[in-house]
Structure formats: structure tokens, C-alpha cells
Amino acid sequence: MLRQYELIEKVRAYDPDADEGLINRAYVFSMKAHGSQVRASGDPYFSHPIEVAGILTDLKLDDQTIVTAILHDTIEDTLATPEEIEKLFGKDIARLVDGVTKLSKIEAQSENERAAENLRKFLLALSDDIRVLLVKLADRLHNMRTLHHIADGDKRRRIAKETMDIYAPLAERIGMYEIMNEMQTLAFKELEPDAYASITRRLKLLHDQGGDIVSRIGLGLQLHLADNGLQAEVMGREKHPYSIWKKMAERHISFEQLSDVMAFRVIVNDEADVYRALGLIHRRWPMVPGRFKDFVSTPKRNGYRSVHTSVIHDAKMRIEIQIRARGMHEQAERGLAAHWAYKEGKPAADLHVPWIDDLVEILDHAESPEELLEHTRMAMYQDRIFAFTPKGELIQLPKGATPVDFAYAVHTALGDKTVGAKVNGRVVPLRTILENGD
Ligand code: MN
């Protein structure tokens, strides 16, 4: 378990101005409140909120978020009251702890009973402050890391399924890919133990045969770029068992047919170098058609930027390559949390996440809890498209949008007067569904 001084050290390493006294008070308060409670692992219960706080220090979050993590289970599981929290730690932290507590209550109800009202209130609170969601995700991640201690198999599977269906997509949605990957791997191991074992066994076999192929290919990439005067950092990895399994299931292929189990990241200095690196790589190794995606010029809705391509490496193996500039990389690794990093000064309290607004909108109009959950899931997966004006300005639209929607998105007056449309140089009916990149 993380000790008090270790936690403080971790926070101070990225935020020298953090309120040490506040964190110390929360540590002692939570330790006393949880008292002799124990986890399924036999560890003192108190180790859990501290580990959750530890996960959030990896994301360099502010002292209020860290304190919220330390206190996140005190209202629900101990005698501590919201009034006490507010008196000791202030209004902001009381509000954050309250948000996390509300979400935990919803989680404890069976899926169909989850009260629409609670979920709605929670999401409203959330849309003001994404830190509630960050604490909840770290909480769930730690519970997944310790899932194997729970003896009841049905309970383990329920938690794993909920993680796969709700929390991993939420982490993805706000760009926290590392957390998403770890959640998926742990849930996959629980839900499909045979597939997990078989894939990890085959990956091991691949290692034993080829030695450290990943490093060799990575070094080759780096040298090729260096020979052409481009400085880059190359990191290689094997794909996670879950993403391998998903690909096998989607394409109905066996592990042997699945050739691209390795992925590489090329980190360069700036945006111009991203495209230089791309050119150098495509000229050296043929690219696999249909796999190229440019999220640098057209970022994903969660802000993710990177160029993705797959190439045939030395005439035999398909490898996946992501190319990005250093700043884009930091953003991708930590997602929204990057906005909270102290290197940029104080966290932006008004950080805006558009899809949460959509969700709140749906929640306000849904009739029953069931309908609401259905919509919530849809909202989480719903995708946006990007289209361009003739001058190249990016317009974000919901999937299914037509040229009329596009016109209105540009300007209301333009929408009102629209009588015809040209997409990619061709005259099309106004009811045409626009596609990404049109
Ligand atoms: Mn917890």
C-alpha cells in the first residue's frame, strides 16, 4: 500500500504548490473512517482509496481530485457524513465526493432499477466537473486489478461485464486509452478465460520463436528514419490480448492468419515531421490499403491526434504504425487528464465535454429508466462525422447529417436559403447522407 509520505511525494513531484496539509488531513480522516474494514483480498479497506489516489497521481491530477479519491468511499461505506466532509475539506471537495458517491449508488442497483433521476443528477454534476468521472474510472480500475480476490464467480463476471460495457468505453470516450486497455484486458481475462489463455500462450510461442522481434523491427524503423535525417523515438508493443481477440472475431480469422499483432509508435518533434516520417515509411515499406487514417488533420472527437497506417514489413509481416508529435502523444496517453496537468497552470474548471451535453439532453427527455439506459449506451457509442467547407473549415456533425444540416451548422441564414448542394464537386440531392471527409 502507498504510504502517506509516498503519496505526498508523488503529488509534489508534478505540483510543488499542492496543499500538503489538505492531503494529509484526508489521509488520516479516511484511515480512521474505514477503521478495521477489510477488502476481499484481506487488505485493510483503506488501501483501496489510497491506491485509487495513486492511479490519479500517474495522471498528474490536482490536489482536490487526489483528496476526492482518498475520500471517495467514506460517505457510502463509513459513518462519515457529507456535512463533515464539507466542513473539513470545503464545498468543492464535498461536491466531488458527492458526485462519486451518487455514481456508486447507481452501480449498486440492478440495471433496470437504476433511477433515471439519480443518473440524470449525476451526469448533470459530471458535466460541470469531469474530475468526478476520472475518480470513478480510477476506482473501477483498482477494483478490476483486485477482482480475482472476490470468491463469488457470478459477482466477478457481473463486474467484468459492466467494466467492458460501460467503463472501458467511457475511458475511451474521454481519451484515456491506457486505462481503457487495462480494463479490457482484465475484464477479458475474467469473461473469456479460455480465449485469454490461448492468445497469451500463442503470443509466448511467437516470442520463443523469434526472440525479441518487436525491438528488432522498432530499431529498424528508427534507423531508417535517422538515415534520412529524421529524429524519432520508436516504441513497439504487442497488441493486447483483448484487441487481438476482437480482431479475430470481427474478421472471422484464426490467430495464425492474424498477421499484425505488433504495433509501433513513432514519436517525432512536430506536425511537419509526422508527415515526413509517414512519407519515409511508405516509401520504404508498402502500405496496406484501407488501413490509413489521418487523425492529425482531422482529430477524433475526443481530441485524439495521430496518423495510423499499416505496412508490409520485409515482404512478410503486417505491422501497424502510429505516428504523432510529442505533444499529441502526451495528450493521447493521458486523454482529458492532460488538460488538468499542472505544467499548464491551474486546471481548467470549465473543461467542456460535448458528448456529456448530448447525454444530459437525452436524460431530460427519456420516459423510463430502461429507455434511458438504452439511449445512454447509444450516446456513448454514437459517432460524429466531420465534413469540410470549400475553404477547408472543419464542421462537426452527428452521423446521418445531410447537406441541409451542414448548411445550418455553417450559419442559420445559409441553412434557410439552401436550395441545392454539391458534395465533392458533384451535385447531390439535399437528403444525401454526408460521410466523413466530404
Ligand atoms: Mn471505491
Side-chain angles (χ1 to χ4, degrees), residues 39 45 48-49 52 69 72-73 77 100 104 136 139-140 143:
R39 301 263 295 168
Y45 192 93
H48 163 68
V52 174
H72 83 270
D73 279 330
D77 296 338
V100 183
S104 307
K136 191 64 216 171
D139 175 41
R140 176 49 66 118
N143 285 336

Side-chain angles (χ1 to χ4, degrees), residues 188 192 195 199 240-250:
F188 175 51
E192 304 281 347
I199 288 173
H240 299 274
Y242 175 68
S243 54
I244 292 177
W245 183 74
K246 212 168 66 176
K247 204 156 273 181
M248 286 164 64
E250 270 165 17

